[in-house]
Amino acid sequence: MQIGLIKYVIIIFLFVFITPVHADKEEKIIVLVNEYVYDSLEWEINRYVDDISAFYTVNIFETSGGDAQNLKSSIIDLYSDSLVGCIFIGDISFVYYE
């Protein structure tokens, strides 16, 4: 799949499935982006973060891999109080959490 098509699929997914209805600026969203993907989609990712920043406090992080369980633990430790979502863009290991 070409990077251009991936770019548009990601953007469509983000706007369709992560659109705020009743958001509180105190709620937080983390955007985790694979460092290789971020280089090619930087403008689009930053635009999306700017758009949702009107509704949420958004933190964006680049990642280059790592263990999924450690990533999950770090997210829970840092943001357990007001985190409402995590957006993973690119090749990032994940673990389901509640």
Side-chain angles (χ1 to χ4, degrees), residues 25-62:
K25 189 72 170 159
E26 297 300 316
E27 297 175 327
K28 295 181 179 90
I29 292 181
I30 298 171
V31 178
L32 293 168
V33 185
N34 179 281
E35 67 181 351
Y36 302 111
V37 172
Y38 188 76
D39 292 340
S40 60
L41 297 176
E42 182 176 3
W43 186 89
E44 291 84 354
I45 292 167
N46 288 333
R47 172 63 193 260
Y48 179 69
V49 168
D50 287 344
D51 290 345
I52 62 175
S53 290
F55 304 98
Y56 299 103
T57 299
V58 181
N59 296 327
I60 185 168
F61 300 100
E62 286 184 65

Side-chain angles (χ1 to χ4, degrees), residues 34 63-71 91-94:
N34 179 281
T63 181
S64 60
D67 177 67
Q69 190 61 43
N70 289 339
L71 179 60
D91 186 17
I92 299 173
S93 300
F94 67 94

